[in-house]
Amino acid sequence: MNTDAALQRYLLQLGDNALILGHRLAEWCGHAPEMEIDMALTNMALDLTGQARALYQRLAELEGKGRTEDDIAYLRDAREFYNCLLVEQPNGDFAHSMARQFFFDAYNYALHKNLTQSSDEWLAGFATKALKEITYHLRFSSEWVLRLGDGTETSREKMQKAVDDLWMWRHEPNILSEAEEVLAKTGVIPHPDAIKAESEQKVADILTKATLTIPTDDWAQKGGKTGLHTEYLGYILAEMQFLQRAYPGLEW
Amino acid sequence: MQTHDLEKNFQQKIDAEVKIEPKDWMPDAYRKNLIRQISQHAHSEVVGMLPEGNWITRAPSLRRKLILMAKVQDEAGHGLYLYSAAETLGAGRDDLVMDLLNGKAKYSSIFNYPTLTWADIGAIGWLVDGAAIMNQVMLTRTSYGPYARAMVRICKEESFHQRQGYEIMLTLAKGSPEQKAMAQDALDRWWWPSLMMFGPHDSESTHSEQSMKWKIKRKSNDELRQAFVDATVPQAELIGLKVPDPDLKWNEKRGHYDFGEINWNEFWNVVKGRGPCNKQRLDARRNAWENGAWVREAAMAYAEKKAARRMKQAGEEAA
């Protein structure tokens, strides 16, 4: 894989993570445990969808094939999506949604902090802007892991179960794809060890403070970065892409 | 001062266009009437998130998706300001929410209709927000200060929503034959329920007369409805859609459109809980509340633990 191809694939990885997690968060809209939480979750969905849009626009520009951001979001099938498996996992209860968010945010924060130093000027600029949003996401999700972990007996049980259930999906973001290997060598993306160390530290700190037990089984479930997904993604796409598929080629 | 003097003073203030503020004396009935109206309005914002939220995950482009999410989020924000405005009258937010969940409090019946196609998102913005604005512009001048001020902010956002809704309809109306049919079908289904949003005829409206005297309302249901029809019919014509009313006709003499009679049976049925989505909407809010109970309890417990730890630490430092 040459650098151009690697960069294009990487933009898809980032964009798909943001799009799919944004979709999951939007499913909460109108159904969250409290009005303020409802607004915060929709706000994060807005941030993420906005990020996906910027990344797809950049990709469209680089590949120069005349595709639009919407072609990229709406006209690919599951095997051509490269998000990590964590973000496509169902919302479950609020503890599951917060565990998923926290694991992802811990990684995403460390990643974007480092990406601001990218040798690719566009990517560095994008990361600087997105980092402000992701900083807020990480604060929100870590605060909820703390509240639920160190709240009531019931909430602790639910939070522990969510951490246990999602643990195997947590590692994939830190396992490099072929595109990431290429880009790490040229300084386009940061050295993966730095991101891994920082995000693992954050996860360990918060789980400990939240009085939760850190799971010991470190088996990593992976595949998303090569387009091998869980069964959930197909349903997300069926819903998301419905209008574009049912009425192809129209303006909306 | 005697109660009747207080009442006289109160009415004089209203007549002189002086705003009533939370600490001012006000008749009990004025307070109750406002709590009812403001909380109904807040509930409508919150329940109103559901029919539109129904299309966020299916919005046909990323741009439309972002606009729709921002709109639904604005509605949650409006719900929050309005609950705060009701709180200035001594009503607690949790009590008001309980009244909604146990069916005691009403919300706008329009949200008991389903959003079946993407065009419904356009129609809601254009017609439902358009109708709401007629009412809300009037309420920016309502006699109770906090409610009037909340309305100023809400109106700005609502008129933005209305333009976005109209723009969806415009795009569909000039699109493919299927898109145009989708837009017409949405107008056909949302037109009459939108007219019903203004409530019963003035002659049938129980709260109207007193509300007008207290300047909570400044225009009657029928006046507002007429203003909505007059503003909206030309907008439909401009994009080539047909308003589904055979009696609709410009009346040169009145300087207004004449329009057909609303199906009041349908109106009262939906008010009484027999609309297509009444049960779903309330169930959705009840589920959110009940499934969220453990989360709210955890947040309280955590805050208490944190405060206790801080107290203990402060005690140790002092000792």
Side-chain angles (χ1 to χ4, degrees), chain B residues 130-151:
Chain B
I133 290 167
M134 290 288 164
N135 201 27
Q136 288 167 355
V137 166
M138 167 190 82
L139 289 171
T140 60
R141 298 191 302 123
T142 194
S143 58
Y144 186 58
Y147 193 23
R149 289 187 289 272
M151 276 309 139

mmCIF file of all heavy atoms in Angstrom, chain B residues 130-151:
data_model
loop_
_atom_site.group_PDB
_atom_site.id
_atom_site.type_symbol
_atom_site.label_atom_id
_atom_site.label_comp_id
_atom_site.label_asym_id
_atom_site.label_seq_id
_atom_site.Cartn_x
_atom_site.Cartn_y
_atom_site.Cartn_z
ATOM 1 N N GLY B 130 -44.428 26.352 11.867
ATOM 2 C CA GLY B 130 -45.069 27.574 11.374
ATOM 3 C C GLY B 130 -46.277 27.942 12.225
ATOM 4 O O GLY B 130 -46.454 29.105 12.599
ATOM 5 N N ALA B 131 -47.088 26.944 12.550
ATOM 6 C CA ALA B 131 -48.264 27.205 13.392
ATOM 7 C C ALA B 131 -47.825 27.586 14.804
ATOM 8 O O ALA B 131 -48.369 28.508 15.414
ATOM 9 C CB ALA B 131 -49.165 25.970 13.422
ATOM 10 N N ALA B 132 -46.819 26.895 15.305
ATOM 11 C CA ALA B 132 -46.332 27.193 16.655
ATOM 12 C C ALA B 132 -45.817 28.627 16.733
ATOM 13 O O ALA B 132 -46.036 29.323 17.722
ATOM 14 C CB ALA B 132 -45.239 26.203 17.052
ATOM 15 N N ILE B 133 -45.144 29.078 15.664
ATOM 16 C CA ILE B 133 -44.585 30.436 15.678
ATOM 17 C C ILE B 133 -45.683 31.492 15.804
ATOM 18 O O ILE B 133 -45.533 32.478 16.525
ATOM 19 C CB ILE B 133 -43.731 30.697 14.409
ATOM 20 C CG1 ILE B 133 -42.452 29.873 14.478
ATOM 21 C CG2 ILE B 133 -43.381 32.165 14.267
ATOM 22 C CD1 ILE B 133 -41.707 29.808 13.164
ATOM 23 N N MET B 134 -46.805 31.264 15.113
ATOM 24 C CA MET B 134 -47.923 32.224 15.207
ATOM 25 C C MET B 134 -48.282 32.458 16.674
ATOM 26 O O MET B 134 -48.494 33.570 17.128
ATOM 27 C CB MET B 134 -49.170 31.657 14.513
ATOM 28 C CG MET B 134 -49.048 31.579 13.018
ATOM 29 S SD MET B 134 -49.115 33.256 12.347
ATOM 30 C CE MET B 134 -48.488 32.991 10.695
ATOM 31 N N ASN B 135 -48.367 31.374 17.399
ATOM 32 C CA ASN B 135 -48.719 31.415 18.798
ATOM 33 C C ASN B 135 -47.589 32.010 19.644
ATOM 34 O O ASN B 135 -47.790 32.821 20.537
ATOM 35 C CB ASN B 135 -48.987 29.965 19.208
ATOM 36 C CG ASN B 135 -49.817 29.874 20.448
ATOM 37 O OD1 ASN B 135 -50.593 30.773 20.756
ATOM 38 N ND2 ASN B 135 -49.631 28.791 21.173
ATOM 39 N N GLN B 136 -46.371 31.630 19.300
ATOM 40 C CA GLN B 136 -45.229 32.019 20.135
ATOM 41 C C GLN B 136 -44.838 33.478 19.949
ATOM 42 O O GLN B 136 -44.390 34.117 20.894
ATOM 43 C CB GLN B 136 -44.047 31.083 19.847
ATOM 44 C CG GLN B 136 -44.323 29.703 20.436
ATOM 45 C CD GLN B 136 -43.371 28.642 19.938
ATOM 46 O OE1 GLN B 136 -42.543 28.890 19.068
ATOM 47 N NE2 GLN B 136 -43.481 27.446 20.478
ATOM 48 N N VAL B 137 -45.025 33.995 18.740
ATOM 49 C CA VAL B 137 -44.734 35.418 18.518
ATOM 50 C C VAL B 137 -45.656 36.232 19.414
ATOM 51 O O VAL B 137 -45.230 37.179 20.089
ATOM 52 C CB VAL B 137 -44.881 35.801 17.034
ATOM 53 C CG1 VAL B 137 -44.921 37.307 16.859
ATOM 54 C CG2 VAL B 137 -43.738 35.215 16.224
ATOM 55 N N MET B 138 -46.920 35.807 19.468
ATOM 56 C CA MET B 138 -47.861 36.488 20.366
ATOM 57 C C MET B 138 -47.384 36.379 21.823
ATOM 58 O O MET B 138 -47.469 37.337 22.593
ATOM 59 C CB MET B 138 -49.232 35.839 20.200
ATOM 60 C CG MET B 138 -50.224 36.215 21.272
ATOM 61 S SD MET B 138 -51.704 35.198 21.150
ATOM 62 C CE MET B 138 -51.198 33.708 21.984
ATOM 63 N N LEU B 139 -46.859 35.224 22.180
ATOM 64 C CA LEU B 139 -46.461 35.002 23.575
ATOM 65 C C LEU B 139 -45.196 35.771 23.981
ATOM 66 O O LEU B 139 -44.907 35.905 25.163
ATOM 67 C CB LEU B 139 -46.268 33.512 23.845
ATOM 68 C CG LEU B 139 -47.552 32.678 23.881
ATOM 69 C CD1 LEU B 139 -47.216 31.197 23.934
ATOM 70 C CD2 LEU B 139 -48.435 33.064 25.063
ATOM 71 N N THR B 140 -44.433 36.299 22.999
ATOM 72 C CA THR B 140 -43.286 37.138 23.392
ATOM 73 C C THR B 140 -43.795 38.391 24.108
ATOM 74 O O THR B 140 -43.043 39.074 24.769
ATOM 75 C CB THR B 140 -42.424 37.588 22.191
ATOM 76 O OG1 THR B 140 -43.239 38.347 21.303
ATOM 77 C CG2 THR B 140 -41.830 36.409 21.453
ATOM 78 N N ARG B 141 -45.089 38.693 23.943
ATOM 79 C CA ARG B 141 -45.659 39.869 24.609
ATOM 80 C C ARG B 141 -46.613 39.467 25.746
ATOM 81 O O ARG B 141 -47.411 40.269 26.227
ATOM 82 C CB ARG B 141 -46.386 40.746 23.592
ATOM 83 C CG ARG B 141 -45.426 41.287 22.509
ATOM 84 C CD ARG B 141 -46.076 42.363 21.649
ATOM 85 N NE ARG B 141 -47.277 41.850 20.992
ATOM 86 C CZ ARG B 141 -48.496 42.380 21.120
ATOM 87 N NH1 ARG B 141 -48.699 43.441 21.857
ATOM 88 N NH2 ARG B 141 -49.506 41.843 20.469
ATOM 89 N N THR B 142 -46.518 38.232 26.180
ATOM 90 C CA THR B 142 -47.414 37.773 27.231
ATOM 91 C C THR B 142 -47.114 38.515 28.533
ATOM 92 O O THR B 142 -46.011 39.040 28.725
ATOM 93 C CB THR B 142 -47.292 36.232 27.402
ATOM 94 O OG1 THR B 142 -48.388 35.780 28.189
ATOM 95 C CG2 THR B 142 -45.996 35.825 28.076
ATOM 96 N N SER B 143 -48.076 38.545 29.447
ATOM 97 C CA SER B 143 -47.930 39.414 30.630
ATOM 98 C C SER B 143 -46.937 38.882 31.668
ATOM 99 O O SER B 143 -46.446 39.642 32.490
ATOM 100 C CB SER B 143 -49.299 39.629 31.282
ATOM 101 O OG SER B 143 -49.862 38.383 31.644
ATOM 102 N N TYR B 144 -46.639 37.592 31.646
ATOM 103 C CA TYR B 144 -45.714 37.064 32.652
ATOM 104 C C TYR B 144 -44.266 37.143 32.129
ATOM 105 O O TYR B 144 -43.914 36.499 31.124
ATOM 106 C CB TYR B 144 -46.093 35.623 33.015
ATOM 107 C CG TYR B 144 -45.245 35.082 34.162
ATOM 108 C CD1 TYR B 144 -45.227 35.726 35.401
ATOM 109 C CD2 TYR B 144 -44.434 33.956 33.989
ATOM 110 C CE1 TYR B 144 -44.434 35.259 36.434
ATOM 111 C CE2 TYR B 144 -43.652 33.481 35.026
ATOM 112 C CZ TYR B 144 -43.652 34.137 36.242
ATOM 113 O OH TYR B 144 -42.860 33.690 37.273
ATOM 114 N N GLY B 145 -43.432 37.918 32.803
ATOM 115 C CA GLY B 145 -42.086 38.242 32.332
ATOM 116 C C GLY B 145 -41.225 37.049 31.910
ATOM 117 O O GLY B 145 -40.747 37.001 30.776
ATOM 118 N N PRO B 146 -41.015 36.063 32.816
ATOM 119 C CA PRO B 146 -40.122 34.956 32.450
ATOM 120 C C PRO B 146 -40.596 34.158 31.227
ATOM 121 O O PRO B 146 -39.788 33.693 30.428
ATOM 122 C CB PRO B 146 -40.141 34.062 33.698
ATOM 123 C CG PRO B 146 -40.462 34.996 34.823
ATOM 124 C CD PRO B 146 -41.400 36.018 34.240
ATOM 125 N N TYR B 147 -41.927 34.043 31.081
ATOM 126 C CA TYR B 147 -42.466 33.307 29.935
ATOM 127 C C TYR B 147 -42.224 34.108 28.654
ATOM 128 O O TYR B 147 -41.764 33.567 27.646
ATOM 129 C CB TYR B 147 -43.965 33.082 30.162
ATOM 130 C CG TYR B 147 -44.652 32.092 29.241
ATOM 131 C CD1 TYR B 147 -43.955 31.091 28.576
ATOM 132 C CD2 TYR B 147 -46.043 32.150 29.052
ATOM 133 C CE1 TYR B 147 -44.607 30.186 27.755
ATOM 134 C CE2 TYR B 147 -46.707 31.246 28.242
ATOM 135 C CZ TYR B 147 -45.992 30.267 27.585
ATOM 136 O OH TYR B 147 -46.647 29.367 26.787
ATOM 137 N N ALA B 148 -42.465 35.413 28.721
ATOM 138 C CA ALA B 148 -42.256 36.274 27.554
ATOM 139 C C ALA B 148 -40.795 36.232 27.114
ATOM 140 O O ALA B 148 -40.489 36.110 25.928
ATOM 141 C CB ALA B 148 -42.671 37.705 27.876
ATOM 142 N N ARG B 149 -39.898 36.265 28.087
ATOM 143 C CA ARG B 149 -38.469 36.295 27.730
ATOM 144 C C ARG B 149 -38.014 34.950 27.164
ATOM 145 O O ARG B 149 -37.222 34.900 26.219
ATOM 146 C CB ARG B 149 -37.634 36.699 28.940
ATOM 147 C CG ARG B 149 -37.827 38.184 29.303
ATOM 148 C CD ARG B 149 -36.874 38.644 30.384
ATOM 149 N NE ARG B 149 -37.185 38.105 31.696
ATOM 150 C CZ ARG B 149 -38.030 38.662 32.571
ATOM 151 N NH1 ARG B 149 -38.672 39.781 32.255
ATOM 152 N NH2 ARG B 149 -38.246 38.111 33.749
ATOM 153 N N ALA B 150 -38.535 33.847 27.719
ATOM 154 C CA ALA B 150 -38.204 32.524 27.165
ATOM 155 C C ALA B 150 -38.669 32.459 25.710
ATOM 156 O O ALA B 150 -37.975 31.907 24.843
ATOM 157 C CB ALA B 150 -38.865 31.414 27.984
ATOM 158 N N MET B 151 -39.838 33.058 25.440
ATOM 159 C CA MET B 151 -40.395 32.998 24.084
ATOM 160 C C MET B 151 -39.562 33.743 23.056
ATOM 161 O O MET B 151 -39.509 33.358 21.899
ATOM 162 C CB MET B 151 -41.803 33.604 24.086
ATOM 163 C CG MET B 151 -42.843 32.637 24.487
ATOM 164 S SD MET B 151 -42.698 31.151 23.522
ATOM 165 C CE MET B 151 -43.002 30.009 24.805
#
